[in-house]
Amino acid sequence: MTTVPGGALPRFLMRALRPAGDGRPFQLTRYFTATSLVAFAVLAVVLYLLEAGEQRLFAAAQREHGGFLATVQAQLLQEQKEAGRANLVAVHEAGHVTLAHVFANALWQSHFAPLVARAQAVPVERCRAPALEAQGGTQALAGCVAGLRRLVAGLPGFTEIDAPVRSLMRRTSVFKIKVYDLRGLTVYSSELAQVGEDKSENRGWRAAAAGHPATELVHRNRFSAFEGEVEDRDLIQSYVPVEMPGGGIAGVFEIYSDVTPLLHQLEAGTARLVDVTARNQERVQQAAQRNEATMQQASTRLLIVSALVLAAVYLALLYLMRNAQRIIDTEARSREQLAQREQEWHRDKMATMAAMAANISHEVGNPLAIISGLAEEIAHWRAPTDVQPEVPNMIVQQTTRIASMTRRISDFATAGSDTPEVLDINQLLRSVCQFLRFDRRFGGTPIELRAGTGLLACEAIPDHLTEVFMGLLHALEENCARCGGTAGTRIVVTTAALEGQIRIQLACECGPNAVACRVLPESARLASARRRIEPLGGQLDLAPSGIEIRLPAWSPTKG
């Protein structure tokens, strides 16, 4: 059967080729199908959530943009409305200042100035709030103002002012004119009922008395004008100082102008802008809805394309994994067949060695027993003068030594069972090292066993570990022979106890005249050793000067 070289497979496939704990090869397709389905499902869900989040973000951005635009337009409309009113007030204030100058030029010196001078004799201070609090409040104030009105209206020249003022304001938008002296007393009003009022606390009068015009837009439900009483009007109210030719303020004009038609036009223009803004906002919302629908369609297309791409990638990977599974299965079958052949070869080899050892033990043991018995007879029955007494003893000692060696060879070569046993690693290594001393290849590279203490037992098939250690020691001896000099070079076998493990190190210690030993190259012996070690749960690694093996220790709970 054709096998795939190990170097041609990726590293993860080589790991996958290692059988599971129950001896079955790794099921790559099954695990890939389950894992990839979960991964692709998670990826699809994440992609969908991201796309949905993007849609929500886009919709929120559209709404925020629409709201911002609506707010900006509302602010612009409000600012335009306020600017229109402010411009209206500013224009009419300028007109009122001009009108006040016209009044002053036409009537001040001839009519208003004498009246203001005569009004200085009117005691306005008695009608102010602090003086009236003790007299009854509002009723007292009304009575006091009525008294002032009578006093002012009775002044000489008062009745001659009203006619020219009305003549000047006829057919204009001016509804009312008032004149104040510098005490705040109303010395003239086109509405006679307001003559005699005190405006000293009014901010507009105070500003005008200080030389600065003051204007505001006011609304009156009812208002007394030159042409009579009007209703629901918007008025511009201005306080304008009257400047004397030589400098200084002579008095204050209060002028009311009707701006109701202008304000209606301004509001109509604002209403048209509101309608235009509303239509623009509606178009913006419609465009936002179209954009959102386009975004949803694009997102749907993206999700469909992404799903198709993911499906194509998944099918391609599944095809590759099926081929990889086929390679794994083929390699696993090849490994199983190779392991079976190695076991058969090992059984045949051990059987041959056992037969040879038995023959040696039989063929050599019988003569040795005879020689040993004769030597003992010589020692007992011959006189000391015939044979030296040390000779029979030496014969007995040497035959005992040869018999011990043949027994060790026979015990080592005896074929064992194929079932795992609880082993003493130190004892097994000691037997292997003693047996290999008979090999001439190890004559120049002796083996030194440094057995550790406190080692736990290991559960394995003895013959398999024996074969592993013999193969590795032979490979290490061949590598040590390349060191360049053999004087002082030896192989050191060290055992030590770890946490739940047994560590075995096989290293080559070079002599003083030898170059550094190279790292042991990968070979068939190492591959065969790994196939024996890994099913036990162990690990075989190459060290800088040798090999390190780790085996799991046996515990009674496992047994």
Side-chain angles (χ1 to χ4, degrees):
M1 179 178 296
T2 304
T3 61
V4 180
L9 291 175
R11 186 175 298 275
F12 81 95
L13 286 181
M14 292 301 297
R15 290 196 297 267
L17 288 175
R18 299 174 184 175
D22 55 359
R24 293 182 292 104
F26 183 73
Q27 298 298 321
L28 181 62
T29 304
R30 178 192 305 170
Y31 289 106
F32 168 77
T33 303
T35 306
S36 59
L37 280 177
V38 173
F40 275 77
V42 172
L43 180 61
V45 171
V46 171
L47 183 62
Y48 173 78
L49 293 177
L50 289 176
E51 196 62 29
E54 186 176 356
Q55 291 182 10
R56 291 193 297 271
L57 179 62
F58 181 79
Q62 290 287 97
R63 290 193 297 271
E64 183 179 356
H65 176 71
F68 174 75
L69 183 60
T71 303
V72 169
Q73 289 180 339
Q75 291 176 352
L76 288 177
L77 288 174
Q78 183 64 27
E79 290 180 1
Q80 184 178 7
K81 184 177 180 179
E82 293 176 357
R85 286 175 174 266
N87 292 335
L88 183 65
V89 170
V91 170
H92 277 75
E93 181 181 87
H96 286 176
V97 171
T98 302
L99 183 62
H101 290 165
V102 171
F103 269 101
N105 293 335
L107 301 175
W108 187 264
Q109 293 298 330
S110 60
H111 292 78
F112 289 118
L115 182 62
V116 169
R118 297 185 188 104
Q120 301 305 308
V122 177
V124 67
E125 290 79 7
R126 68 178 185 175
C127 293
R128 288 176 178 167
L132 296 174
E133 287 181 355
Q135 301 180 14
T138 305
Q139 293 181 355
L141 178 62
C144 186
V145 170
L148 292 177
R149 183 183 311 114
R150 288 191 297 270
L151 291 176
V152 174
L155 291 174
F158 179 82
T159 56
E160 289 81 5
I161 293 177
D162 191 59
V165 170
R166 292 180 182 274
S167 177
L168 285 174
M169 294 298 99
R170 186 176 297 115
R171 297 177 183 177
T172 65
S173 61
V174 177
F175 275 13
K176 183 186 294 187
I177 293 178
K178 293 182 180 182
V179 177
Y180 301 96
D181 65 3
L182 295 182
R183 297 177 301 168
L185 176 65
T186 306
V187 297
Y188 173 78
S189 174
S190 58
E191 183 179 355
L192 184 60
Q194 294 180 348
V195 174
E197 291 181 350
D198 180 23
K199 292 290 185 176
S200 60
E201 299 299 326
N202 184 278
R203 290 181 298 175
W205 177 87
R206 288 177 176 271
H212 307 289
T215 304
E216 64 177 340
L217 178 65
V218 295
H219 181 81
R220 295 289 187 268
N221 294 328
R222 290 182 178 274
F223 191 80
S224 180
F226 284 110
E227 288 79 8
E229 191 173 85
V230 294
E231 296 181 354
D232 194 17
R233 309 302 289 180
D234 293 297
L235 306 170
I236 296 293
Q237 176 187 10
S238 296
Y239 292 86
V240 181
V242 179
E243 298 178 0
M244 293 186 297
I249 305 300
V252 174
F253 276 111
E254 182 182 2
I255 303 174
Y256 286 87
S257 295
D258 183 22
V259 293
T260 303
L262 295 177
L263 196 60
H264 286 172
Q265 292 179 4
L266 182 62
E267 291 178 350
T270 303
R272 288 193 297 273
L273 287 178
V274 169
D275 294 338
V276 172
T277 301
R279 289 195 296 272
N280 290 338
Q281 186 65 27
E282 185 178 358
R283 286 195 292 270
V284 168
Q285 291 178 354
Q286 292 174 355
Q289 292 175 357
R290 289 194 299 270
N291 293 337
E292 188 173 353
T294 303
M295 177 66 180
Q296 290 178 354
Q297 293 174 0
S299 299
T300 303
R301 287 195 298 270
L302 176 62
L303 289 175
I304 293 174
V305 172
S306 300
L308 293 177
V309 171
L310 290 177
V313 172
Y314 175 76
L315 293 176
L317 292 176
L318 183 60
Y319 174 75
L320 292 176
M321 289 302 104
R322 286 185 179 276
N323 288 338
Q325 184 67 58
R326 179 177 54 80
I327 296 173
I328 290 174
D329 294 340
T330 302
E331 186 67 19
R333 287 192 296 270
S334 300
R335 288 167 60 89
E336 289 176 0
Q337 294 175 359
L338 180 60
Q340 291 177 359
R341 287 196 297 269
E342 288 179 350
Q343 290 179 3
E344 293 175 356
W345 295 338
H346 178 70
R347 283 195 296 268
D348 295 341
K349 180 176 64 175
M350 295 305 293
T352 302
M353 290 179 62
M356 180 181 65
N359 291 332
I360 292 174
S361 179
H362 177 72
E363 295 297 332
V364 176
N366 291 336
L368 286 177
I370 296 173
I371 295 172
S372 178
L374 293 175
E376 292 176 357
E377 287 291 331
I378 293 173
H380 286 296
W381 300 105
R382 296 290 184 260
T385 56
D386 296 335
V387 180
Q388 294 182 1
E390 294 84 1
V391 173
N393 293 332
M394 291 177 61
I395 295 174
V396 172
Q397 291 175 359
Q398 295 302 319
T399 54
T400 302
R401 179 183 176 188
I402 295 173
S404 176
M405 292 173 61
T406 56
R407 281 196 301 272
R408 289 202 301 269
I409 294 174
S410 179
D411 293 339
F412 180 81
T414 300
S417 64
D418 291 335
T419 58
E421 300 178 7
V422 179
L423 304 175
D424 183 352
I425 293 297
N426 285 338
Q427 182 62 35
L428 182 65
L429 284 172
R430 189 175 290 108
S431 300
V432 172
C433 294
Q434 290 177 352
F435 180 78
L436 289 181
R437 289 193 182 99
F438 298 107
D439 194 331
R440 290 180 298 175
R441 289 174 291 185
F442 289 89
T445 310
I447 303 175
E448 179 183 348
L449 175 63
R450 298 174 183 174
T453 59
L455 265 66
L456 297 176
C458 176
E459 186 177 14
I461 299 176
D463 288 350
H464 290 182
L465 285 184
T466 298
E467 181 184 6
V468 167
F469 292 138
M470 289 181 64
L472 294 178
L473 287 171
H474 277 101
L476 197 60
E477 188 276 332
E478 292 174 357
N479 194 54
C480 289
R482 304 187 187 99
C483 292
T486 58
T489 301
R490 58 182 174 177
I491 296 175
V492 179
V493 180
T494 307
T495 61
L498 298 176
E499 294 182 1
Q501 287 185 326
I502 302 171
R503 184 178 66 185
I504 305 165
Q505 291 180 321
L506 303 134
C508 180
E509 292 187 356
C510 299
N513 298 325
V515 297
C517 295
R518 295 178 297 176
V519 176
L520 191 66
E522 291 286 345
S523 62
R525 287 173 175 167
L526 289 178
S528 177
R530 283 195 177 95
R531 286 195 294 271
R532 297 293 192 187
I533 294 297
E534 289 175 356
L536 301 176
Q539 183 179 355
L540 187 148
D541 296 315
L542 293 179
S545 60
I547 304 167
E548 181 174 329
I549 300 173
R550 295 193 180 190
L551 295 174
W554 176 84
S555 64
T557 57
K558 294 182 180 179

